[in-house]
Amino acid sequence: MKVMAILGLWLCLKGGMMIYPPHDNLAGTYKTEEEGVTIVVTKTATGFVGVDPQKRIVLKDVKFLEGCWRGTVYNPQKDITARCEVYVEGNKLKIVAYKGLLSKTVYWVKI
């Protein structure tokens, strides 16, 4: 009986972690590691959005779906838009961009 109670509690907690994002506030000011560009991420009605100093949207519609943060990232230097997954790692955002079969990981450090 004790085992069943523990198992039930574990399933409830595990299920709750899947429904709610582990970190639900990505908002803040970040600096890209490669170029050193400052990106301001804010929460909007459609998800999180990141804007660079030239007022270009470089991260958009980031929402917690299927167990992780997903959205779209834009690289203005190369004029490439790609789908992405965003992970919070301490004071950094790890952004994994996917374009076709290729992927690239970049880090933005919170300042």
Side-chain angles (χ1 to χ4, degrees), residues 15-31:
M17 285 188 285
M18 287 190 222
I19 296 170
Y20 300 105
H23 186 291
D24 66 354
N25 191 4
L26 305 178
T29 303
Y30 297 87
K31 187 165 281 220

Side-chain angles (χ1 to χ4, degrees), residues 26-41 51 59 86-95 105-111:
L26 305 178
T29 303
Y30 297 87
K31 187 165 281 220
T32 62
E33 282 192 335
E34 288 184 6
E35 298 90 17
V37 176
T38 301
I39 308 292
V40 177
V41 177
V51 179
L59 187 67
V86 179
Y87 302 92
V88 178
E89 294 185 351
N91 69 333
K92 294 182 180 183
L93 290 184
K94 174 183 174 182
I95 300 170
T105 301
V106 296
Y107 290 89
W108 296 356
V109 179
K110 196 166 194 174
I111 53 174

Side-chain angles (χ1 to χ4, degrees), residues 44-62:
T44 68
T46 60
F48 288 92
V49 174
V51 179
D52 72 3
Q54 283 75 38
K55 310 283 189 231
R56 295 178 290 205
I57 297 174
V58 295
L59 187 67
K60 76 176 195 177
D61 298 334
V62 177

Side-chain angles (χ1 to χ4, degrees), residues 4-24:
M4 293 301 284
I6 291 171
L7 180 60
L9 179 61
W10 180 80
L11 287 173
C12 287
L13 291 174
K14 182 74 171 164
M17 285 188 285
M18 287 190 222
I19 296 170
Y20 300 105
H23 186 291
D24 66 354

